[in-house]
Amino acid sequence: MGSAVTASCTVRRERCQGLQDGQLHISWLLDGEPMDGRQRRGVGSTEVSELSVPQLNRTQAKLWCCVEWNGTKQRVGVAEIRAGYPPGKPSNLSCLLDLGDYGLTCRWQQGADGHLPTSVTLKCATSRAPAVTGCTPQNGHNQCTVPRRLLQLYRPMELWVTATNALGTAESERLHIDPMDVAKLDPPTLQSIRSVPPQTDCITLSWAVAPRNAHMELCCELRYCAPEDPSWAVVTGIVGHTGTAQHCGFLFGTLYHFQMRCRRNSARGYWSEWSVGRNHTTHEKAPTGKLDAWWSTQPAAGRMEVQLRWKAPRRQEANGHVLGYRVTLGPRKRGREPQTVCNTTDTQCNFTVPARMCRVYLSAYNAAGESAATEVILLERKGPPLARLQALPRGERSLWVHWEAALVPAVAYVLEWQEVSSEPTRCSSCWQLERNGAATSALIQDSIEPFQRYDISVFPLYKDAVGTPAHVAAYSKQKAPSHAPKLHLKSIGKSQAELSWEPVAVELRNGFITHYTVFWANSTTDVSSAVVNSSLSSFTIQGLKPSTLYKVHIMASTVGGSTNGTSLTLVTTVLDDIEIQFLFLTLGLVFVLLIILLICFQKNGRVKQQFWPSVPDPANSSLGTWVPAEQEPLQPHGVKEPGPATISTVTVLDKAAKQTPTWGKEPPAEPPALPQPYVQQHGASTLQSRSGLGAEPVQYVQVLGGSSRCPQHVAPCLYVRSSSTQPLLSDPSPEPYENLWFRGAAPSCARRSPEEPLLDFPMLRGLRVSGAEELHDFQPC
């Protein structure tokens, strides 16, 4: 590999007839890659091309010689090139003799690959015969079997492996063995196992070796284990030809599984396979040792309720299968059985005892007998607690609890732990007793699961009291929460939003929540976030834009990871609450004002009377509905009518539509229909004539528009009718009638004849007719 390669190609010219230009051109292809050679004329009519490859780094390649023929490369010759290294040295040669057919099977580890075809053979030789080929592996395997005819049993042999390719040969280290030393024997057969009486921990077993191994010196091993044991216990040095053995140290009343194997006593051969297993249960014995107990008491009507819990005896103390437990009020004595308050197969019991009873006795029993009673002193819980309690994970299923020693020396400690969940459950066996009063730590291994929270309590046991417990929470392993809290929108404004959430259920936290992270973003800005303390359950987002849509979600984190919750979509308002309140207050005030204005319009007359007192309308007075029987003619100018007259009614008679007045015709015998009252004045107001008609009250005044009595150029007539003898002028003078208006007078009637006198009423100055001039411009009829 990596060496230079040279090649040459010779082509006879007479075999290349038909070339268009008559020139013969030779080229090269190395695995399809064009290569340039050096062409020259050879002997006779031949053309020779030589190629040199400085370094060939391919394990296998094909080199083609080509002739240029009508613009194409025609392949006229090929050579296959192989490159590699000498074979690697085989190693780790080992052999095994099968006593079934006495074939010697050898295995080895192949050396480095030389990238070339390699032949491998197993050679063997004896001191009396030359080396021969023992066997050749098939299909590239690294093992083969030497037949029995080439072996010499109980004599040393020499074996080695050779590997050969085109570049060289390599041999393994030579193995010198006696084929019988590497023989693999057949396993023995266990025949019987029995316990040795009386009340000992020993067993006796017997076995038989395989028939083909009966003539050999054997060495055997025995192994056994109980179902609870993590590994096998092995007994060595058992002599094979005896067929029996005895061994001690077994537990009472325990099921064991036994197996056995053997090999040649020379200790150079291979062990046989383990025999078929056999089970055996040792005989039982009464339980031994003291039981760990824990209690709680509560007074009840002169007696005391007791809850007593205990641990089952360890396997080496149970000495068999425990059938039950007994709780008595006193120790067992000869000839007297104490009172039994509880006999159960469980590991806890509730019972009542007299209030002054402070001791009970606990024992376990099996088929072989009953254990010695364990005295339980029911101490009160009034001692000092521990300080600085902490719990750390020791593994996925264990917790290491540490505490500081109490000021008062303790004789023992009780550790309790309970699984924390939404639905509390109490584990009666989740406690343990630490008998060493000087200990400051303990390992909890029972009923501990990862990602589950536990509340741990430690009680110090003093000589005459039980200390107040110290508490701590712990996880053996933490990970990201299974779920994140669900966000709720509590309130929202134009620039802030208050969010709240419910804490994650304890069984879904998978660890201690270290913090929450709230994320929010709109469609145009980057995501913003804020870290919230794990003790909080609400958060207010500040600095939001008014009337903008936001997406918000929360992330819960533990030391083991984080989990995102579902997103919440919210839209900020245009105004804040204060602004909305101010707006509603303003709208309310406007509404109230509108109501007031509406009421004012409904009560227009009353409001007008209060702010703009109206001039009384004589036409609406009680006399406004009175119509005289006949129209009295007005007296000529300058004639004074005796007696006062009071004006009670002023009537304006409009000119009939499209009626041409005729001057000189007599007016109708009667005045038009009942005149329309226009102004009604209540009280004793009077009108005075400027022309000196006398102080006579005028009770009825009419203005006749367009009457036949008025000339065409005269304004509407003003009739003043006297209805009483009251003086027209009074002292003091009545108030002038200003703002008194009339309707229907045409401007053409506003002129008077200069030769006719003017009836002037000083009290009626400013009296106007719609579309006409003032009263003093009118000509009386």
Side-chain angles (χ1 to χ4, degrees), residues 469-493:
H471 306 279
V472 68
Y475 284 88
S476 61
K477 186 177 181 180
Q478 301 185 55
K479 66 177 182 179
S482 300
H483 295 282
K486 184 178 180 180
L487 284 176
H488 302 281
L489 181 60
K490 197 171 182 180
S491 64
I492 190 169

Side-chain angles (χ1 to χ4, degrees), residues 130 331 443 484 496 668 712 737:
L443 181 64
Q496 64 181 17
Q712 191 172 5
Y737 284 85

